[in-house]
């Protein structure tokens, strides 16, 4: 068995990984707060931005930064680039599916659990496909008990994340929810990492692929671009309360026009409540 190091740079990588998970979760929750007050294409756009923030930055970037601290004594590690990029796409897509399920399917317990299961399985798939992207002169195995535990953590974390997306309001409450989501996501990652076992095979050829440092500069540039873009969009967009106030104002105007155009001043039927509005 090879000697595995999960914290080659001490607390630097786990701290940075948690910070990225928090930032991604925080930006994603800010986007979902706008989605709650929006409808149609506007809601879909906000949910897509939330998926990019949570899936891309909060989950995948956290995963890769944490992997920078992973090393095996006397064994070089390389990464299969297509599989690594596929794991990133997987994280964004499955988070989007979970968010769209609650965004357009309602806020009931069954809907949240369904979305959480879909998202949780996707997060697990992202994590272990990212692990499968590693090439080294050895055989990778896993401890079944810890793998199962990592799956359970992912399912619970994903379901809790969707619940936060529906319920959390206010800047401080959103920040607190993001802190909790960061703990859950990083906890799942390091549990899955602890499940890994590596058996050395000295006779195997040197691994091919990119080193972790090859991803570092593009990763930093991507994080900066996505985070700054999302911050600008969120800062320039009206808040959830402002969107709701404008919607109520437009409804009153429409109702007045309907009353004025109908005989006797009877108003038209009211629209049904929005299933995504959990207030």
């Amino acid at each position: 068995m090879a000697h595995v190091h999960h914290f080659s740079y001490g607390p630097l990588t786990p701290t940075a990984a948690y910070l990225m998970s928090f930032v991604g979760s925080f930006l994603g929750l800010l986007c979902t707060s706008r989605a709650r007050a929006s409808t149609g294409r506007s809601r879909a756009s906000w949910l897509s931005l939330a998926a990019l923030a949570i899936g891309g930055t909060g989950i995948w970037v956290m995963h890769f930064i944490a992997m920078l601290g992973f090393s095996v004594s006397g064994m070089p590690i390389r990464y299969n680039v297509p599989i690594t990029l596929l794991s990133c796409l997987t994280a964004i897509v499955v988070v989007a599916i979970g968010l769209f399920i609650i965004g357009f399917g309602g806020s009931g317990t069954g809907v949240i659990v369904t979305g959480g299961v879909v998202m949780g399985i996707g997060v697990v798939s992202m994590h272990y496909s990212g692990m499968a992207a590693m090439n080294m002169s050895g055989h990778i195995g896993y401890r079944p008990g810890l793998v199962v535990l990592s799956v359970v953590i992912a399912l619970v974390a994903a379901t809790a994340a969707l619940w936060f997306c529906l319920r959390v309001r206010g800047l401080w409450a959103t920040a607190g929810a993001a802190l909790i989501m960061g703990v859950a996501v990083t906890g799942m990652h390091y549990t899955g990492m602890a499940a890994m076992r590596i058996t050395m095979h000295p006779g195997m050829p040197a691994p091919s692929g990119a080193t972790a440092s090859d991803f570092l500069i593009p990763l930093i540039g991507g994080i900066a671009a996505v985070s700054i873009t999302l911050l600008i969009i969120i800062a320039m967009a009206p808040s959830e309360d402002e969107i709701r106030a404008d919607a109520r104002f437009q409804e009153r105007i429409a109702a007045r026009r309907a009353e004025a155009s109908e005989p006797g001043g009877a108003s038209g039927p009211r629209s049904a409540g929005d299933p995504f509005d959990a207030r």
Side-chain angles (χ1 to χ4, degrees):
M1 296 293 292
H3 187 62
V4 176
H5 302 275
H6 295 291
F7 308 102
S8 300
Y9 300 102
L12 177 61
T13 48
T15 300
Y18 175 77
L19 179 62
M20 286 298 99
S21 186
F22 165 74
V23 169
S25 299
F26 183 64
L27 291 174
L29 289 174
L30 290 177
C31 290
T32 57
S33 72
R34 271 72 174 176
R36 284 195 299 256
S38 304
T39 57
R41 290 185 178 180
S42 179
R43 172 173 293 181
S45 297
W46 281 115
L47 291 175
S48 298
L49 289 175
L52 177 63
I54 297 174
T57 301
I59 297 176
W60 187 82
V61 172
M62 177 283 307
H63 165 86
F64 198 81
I65 289 179
M67 290 305 299
L68 292 174
F70 175 80
S71 63
V72 182
S73 297
M75 187 182 297
I77 299 175
R78 298 292 184 268
Y79 292 88
N80 182 302
V81 175
I83 295 178
T84 300
L85 296 178
L86 178 62
S87 69
C88 177
L89 181 63
T90 300
I92 296 172
V93 169
V94 296
V95 170
I97 292 173
L99 291 175
F100 273 74
I101 286 174
I102 65 167
F104 293 96
S107 57
T109 302
V111 174
I112 296 175
V113 171
T114 300
V117 169
V118 171
M119 188 187 297
I121 292 174
V123 170
V124 170
S125 300
M126 181 283 303
H127 172 80
Y128 287 104
S129 63
M131 301 303 296
M134 290 193 305
N135 295 325
M136 61 185 73
S137 301
H139 174 72
I140 299 176
Y142 292 94
R143 297 178 177 86
L146 289 177
V147 171
V148 171
L149 179 59
S150 71
V151 173
V152 172
I153 294 174
L155 294 175
V156 173
T159 304
L162 293 182
W163 187 89
F164 285 140
C165 290
L166 285 171
R167 298 294 193 274
V168 173
R169 285 174 168 80
L171 189 62
W172 290 109
T174 301
L179 289 171
I180 296 172
M181 288 171 63
V183 171
V185 172
T186 53
M188 177 268 159
H189 171 83
Y190 282 107
T191 301
M193 290 296 296
M196 177 181 290
R197 297 181 298 180
I198 299 176
T199 304
M200 298 183 68
H201 294 293
M204 292 180 64
S208 61
T211 65
S213 58
D214 291 334
F215 287 95
L216 197 54
I217 293 178
L219 190 66
I220 293 173
I223 294 169
V226 170
S227 299
I228 292 173
T229 301
L230 285 174
L231 284 172
I232 292 173
I233 292 173
I234 292 169
M236 294 181 65
S239 67
E240 178 182 4
D241 291 337
E242 290 170 338
I243 295 173
R244 292 188 186 281
D246 181 69
R248 288 193 295 266
F249 179 68
Q250 296 298 330
E251 286 176 0
R252 287 197 295 270
I253 292 177
R256 292 290 179 86
R257 289 175 177 172
E259 289 174 0
S261 63
E262 293 181 6
S267 60
R270 287 179 170 241
S271 60
D274 186 343
F276 195 36
D277 186 357
R279 293 189 304 173

